[in-house]
Amino acid sequence: MSDQDDLDAWLQSLPDKLEAHLSEVIREQAEQLSQAQRRALRSLEQSPDETGHLEESCTLIKSDGSPTEWLVVAGGDVTTGEVRGGSGVPYDYALGFEFGNSHQPARPFFYPTYRARRDDIEQAIQEAIQEVIDDQ
């Protein structure tokens, strides 16, 4: 096999190798972000009647679109109820917690935690890409 054939084979294999390695690194980074958001949330909870459902809702969801796409989410079914008893209007109190509402000030935990970790996440992804490239 010639050097050109070796290069072509390496280039052909690169997308699959990157996808496999990046999927795991991105999942790990997403899990670390979700855990950091849960910790931030625990530090902000003030009332004994806060149920822990919001913390429970901080999780990962695997995207159907791409093996490297993981969604970090909070809120949803376990934090949604009626805005007022009997109104029939749904309200996700995760939004009230993050952004505030007429009854409570904002106690943001989701976006500030992401912004604080963003550079570390990007660095981990860059290092993973470099590992795959250097592995040849």
Side-chain angles (χ1 to χ4, degrees), residues 65-76:
S66 166
T68 59
E69 187 173 346
W70 291 86
L71 306 175
V72 178
V73 298

Side-chain angles (χ1 to χ4, degrees), residues 1-13 136:
M1 221 151 81
S2 72
D3 288 341
Q4 182 63 44
D5 291 339
D6 289 343
L7 177 61
D8 287 345
W10 181 79
L11 289 172
Q12 294 275 335
S13 70
Q136 296 301 315

Side-chain angles (χ1 to χ4, degrees), residues 35-93:
Q35 290 172 2
Q37 288 170 333
R38 282 191 223 97
R39 285 190 302 274
L41 184 58
R42 280 192 296 271
S43 74
L44 295 170
E45 292 176 331
Q46 300 167 348
S47 166
D49 65 338
E50 291 176 328
T51 64
H53 291 306
L54 183 51
E55 183 182 339
E56 173 187 320
S57 77
C58 295
T59 189
L60 302 181
I61 297 175
K62 180 70 178 103
S63 170
D64 293 336
S66 166
T68 59
E69 187 173 346
W70 291 86
L71 306 175
V72 178
V73 298
D77 291 344
V78 298
T79 59
T80 299
E82 291 183 337
V83 69
R84 274 181 253 77
S87 72
V89 177
Y91 176 71
D92 188 342
Y93 73 81

Side-chain angles (χ1 to χ4, degrees), residues 10 29 34 48 56 60 79 97 110 113-114 131:
W10 181 79
Q29 290 298 311
S34 184
E56 173 187 320
L60 302 181
T79 59
F97 203 98
F110 193 86
T113 305
Y114 165 71
E131 285 174 20

